[in-house]
Amino acid sequence: MMSTEVTLRLRRPIESTLAAGHPWVWSASVDPFTADPGDIARVVDARGRFVARAVVDGAELAARVWTTRDERLDEGLLSARVRAAAALRDRVVPPDTEAYRLLHGEGDLTPGYVCDVYGRCAVLSVDGAGAAARVDAMVAPLRAALGARGVEALLLRTRRKGEGHEVRALYGDAPDAVIAVKERGMTLRADLTRGQKTGLFLDQRESRWRVRGLARGMRVLNLYAYTGASRRRRGSAARRR
């Protein structure tokens, strides 16, 4: 995606904060500027020295920082970030698990982008107008990493103010119904088009594993969870509670 590079001049001395890893530049911290969401921003200090390269976001949040090195924010950088995130998941995702977060926004130095894997399908969600404007630039890097994991479709899930959310396929086919995925050998049901978050609360994996250990051999009533997260038995899938 081609975009304009604009210069954001800091009016507050936050250079050390950005250098330490803070990913956001608030509008109150820079001189007034004109740019569109998704434009590349060269952040400089009051003397014009390079501080960071970022993506312009919105009115209150001026930009999200991608790098504090004076390097191009191009497909090569995006691919390197996605590969690094995927390599980390190869180390930490437990066995017999096909539902997990591949890309975690600012935590993986990909601000504004979250990508969750559900078996042969993945869901990309975006945060902020800047990330939304540059979705197309993320498709190729993600497709390479996802394809290596057997993922055949990538869905984009976006929020629509006052209207819930919208889901469309960036490539591949969206599932017609709720799908079954494994988490530490347990079968869960995920609704990728109408469910909460991207389908499941994947950050509760370790909590579910802990509860399974505590409840082994017992009958347990789950009153308040988004999903019952029960093991598939006698051919029936886990039921939503």
Side-chain angles (χ1 to χ4, degrees):
M1 173 182 176
M2 296 297 293
S3 62
T4 304
E5 179 167 283
V6 299
T7 297
L8 303 188
R9 186 178 298 271
L10 296 178
R11 63 196 305 179
R12 294 181 179 176
I14 62 169
E15 298 91 332
S16 60
T17 300
L18 298 180
H22 196 287
W24 295 345
V25 179
W26 296 101
S27 295
S29 298
V30 299
D31 290 340
F33 68 97
T34 300
D36 294 323
D39 284 348
I40 303 299
R42 184 174 183 268
V43 183
V44 301
D45 65 14
R47 296 173 60 183
R49 295 173 299 189
F50 177 86
V51 175
R53 188 155 275 110
V55 171
V56 174
D57 197 83
E60 186 177 2
L61 178 56
R64 297 176 189 246
V65 173
W66 275 77
T67 179
T68 54
R69 297 179 179 178
D70 194 357
E71 58 185 334
R72 295 181 61 186
L73 206 173
D74 56 12
E75 186 174 323
L77 179 61
L78 303 187
S79 295
R81 296 289 170 82
V82 172
R83 288 196 302 269
L88 176 60
R89 272 57 181 188
D90 288 340
R91 297 181 60 183
V92 302
V93 173
D96 206 6
T97 296
E98 55 186 3
Y100 56 91
R101 179 150 293 178
L102 180 74
L103 205 62
H104 195 177
E106 280 79 349
D108 284 311
L109 303 180
T110 57
Y113 297 102
V114 166
C115 184
D116 292 338
V117 173
Y118 294 94
R120 295 189 176 277
C121 192
V123 181
L124 176 67
S125 61
V126 297
D127 182 31
R134 298 185 63 83
V135 162
D136 290 347
M138 290 296 296
V139 173
L142 279 171
R143 191 166 194 165
L146 293 169
R149 286 157 176 75
V151 175
E152 299 172 349
L154 176 62
L155 310 183
L156 174 65
R157 183 167 172 139
T158 54
R159 288 192 292 267
R160 301 178 64 182
K161 190 173 182 180
E163 300 181 16
H165 59 265
E166 181 181 35
V167 177
R168 66 180 176 91
L170 292 172
Y171 65 82
D173 298 320
D176 294 329
V178 175
I179 65 172
V181 291
K182 290 292 184 66
E183 180 184 88
R184 291 184 182 271
M186 177 174 65
T187 300
L188 300 176
R189 288 167 58 84
D191 189 337
L192 305 190
T193 59
R194 295 175 296 275
Q196 290 287 329
K197 301 298 182 179
T198 59
L200 287 173
F201 287 87
L202 296 178
D203 59 343
Q204 293 302 306
R205 181 178 65 221
E206 299 309 311
S207 297
R208 288 188 286 265
W209 177 245
R210 176 64 172 158
V211 170
R212 287 173 67 186
L214 293 172
R216 186 169 290 113
M218 303 170 62
R219 296 184 65 192
V220 178
L221 176 63
N222 187 338
L223 291 175
Y224 303 108
Y226 164 58
T227 60
S230 57
R231 187 189 302 271
R232 176 178 287 188
R233 293 178 180 174
R234 298 192 182 98
S236 63
R239 293 182 178 179
R240 181 180 297 178
R241 300 298 186 192

